[in-house]
Amino acid sequence: MHRLNGRTAIVTGAASGIGRATVERLLAEGANVIATDLSEGAALDTEQCRSIVHDVRDEAGWEQVISLAEAVFGGVDILVNNAGITAAKLLPIAELSLADWQRVLSVNLDGVFLGTRAGMKAMEERGGVIVNIASVHSFIAAAGTVAYSTSKGGVVMLTKVAAVEGARLKCPVRVNSVHPGYIETPLVSARFEQVPALKAEIESRTPLNRLGRVDEVAAAVAYLCGDDAGFITGTSLTLDGGLTAI
């Protein structure tokens, strides 16, 4: 299928994991893509794709990314705010430093705010779609994840407010959030290395009895970006194998 022919997408955190899979899926759907990441590992330069080193916390960096999309592909139709981090260790609130708290929120929440703001400005005369990648930890608590969970919970309300405001624009911008459960990504694998028994525990608590795949998340993102999802905005789409249904 080529549901996104002629459209231009920006995907942050595109070097690996969900971000990389999303870039590949959007390209397969016919979109042009600007792939951004702190790492040069996002390099996917082709006629249909350009990559750029980008810190989502940097306001000026967002201006550069939007300018690149406009110069190379003529504008922006889709933004996927995927870049995210966790604290270096699972720590209780009493032991988490302010610096670590601020580092996580600056990427996971400030970065999504800056991206959403830049995307809405770029799309206000043409319309478009913003998809914010959050987490099941937007809804469920886990010890040692206070900064990550708080940031992802904030993404839910940021998305809803942006959806209400985006719907009022002359050319509406739809805004939704996607909430993966435990997906086989480098970030999740690193967490399993810290807590070796965690993977088996999560699989046993998940009704589908497995971890998710990055291509499954990418497929959901592509759906929300397309016309088949034209009446969907302000929603939180969960992909967790049933974990939060219990």
Side-chain angles (χ1 to χ4, degrees):
M1 296 178 67
H2 290 81
R3 296 177 293 186
L4 304 177
N5 276 348
R7 302 182 198 184
T8 297
I10 295 169
V11 180
T12 68
S16 63
I18 291 171
R20 183 64 174 243
T22 297
V23 169
E24 292 172 352
R25 179 59 185 255
L26 297 185
L27 289 171
E29 293 276 3
N32 300 310
V33 179
I34 302 293
T36 93
D37 201 281
L38 270 178
S39 166
E40 293 184 359
L44 293 162
D45 289 330
T46 65
E47 184 178 348
Q48 196 182 343
C49 183
R50 297 289 188 276
S51 58
I52 182 173
V53 176
H54 171 219
D55 185 339
V56 296
R57 301 168 294 181
D58 179 22
E59 287 187 81
W62 275 105
E63 293 177 6
Q64 293 175 344
V65 170
I66 298 295
S67 294
L68 178 62
E70 292 173 341
V72 177
F73 298 123
V76 181
D77 305 289
I78 296 165
L79 167 63
V80 182
N81 284 309
N82 168 72
I85 61 171
T86 64
K89 295 181 180 179
L90 290 171
L91 292 173
I93 294 171
E95 298 178 19
L96 186 70
S97 71
L98 178 60
D100 281 344
W101 164 271
Q102 291 175 332
R103 183 177 66 90
V104 173
L105 265 72
S106 68
V107 175
N108 294 2
L109 194 51
D110 294 352
V112 175
F113 160 71
L114 291 171
T116 300
R117 187 180 67 176
M120 290 181 75
K121 288 180 179 178
M123 298 176 198
E124 62 184 348
E125 296 296 329
R126 61 194 287 145
V129 181
I130 297 173
V131 179
N132 297 324
I133 306 299
S135 168
V136 291
H137 287 297
S138 300
F139 313 121
I140 57 175
T145 69
V146 64
Y148 181 80
S149 296
T150 299
S151 68
K152 295 300 187 179
V155 168
V156 175
M157 191 50 65
L158 191 161
T159 297
K160 290 181 181 295
V161 173
V164 172
E165 295 183 1
R168 295 174 177 171
L169 295 175
K170 180 175 66 175
C171 298
V173 175
R174 295 189 293 107
V175 189
N176 294 292
S177 55
V178 169
H179 299 259
Y182 287 89
I183 310 297
E184 293 184 284
T185 67
L187 198 65
V188 171
S189 296
R191 186 66 76 210
F192 290 154
E193 289 177 4
Q194 291 182 16
V195 187
L198 185 59
K199 180 179 180 180
E201 177 191 341
I202 288 169
E203 289 176 334
S204 69
R205 288 193 289 115
T206 301
L208 289 183
N209 200 38
R210 66 173 177 87
L211 301 182
R213 304 190 310 271
V214 292
D215 64 289
E216 293 172 317
V217 182
V221 173
Y223 164 69
L224 289 174
C225 292
D227 293 340
D228 288 342
F231 200 54
I232 300 176
T233 195
T235 198
S236 302
L237 178 59
T238 302
L239 297 92
D240 66 354
L243 182 66
T244 55
I246 300 173

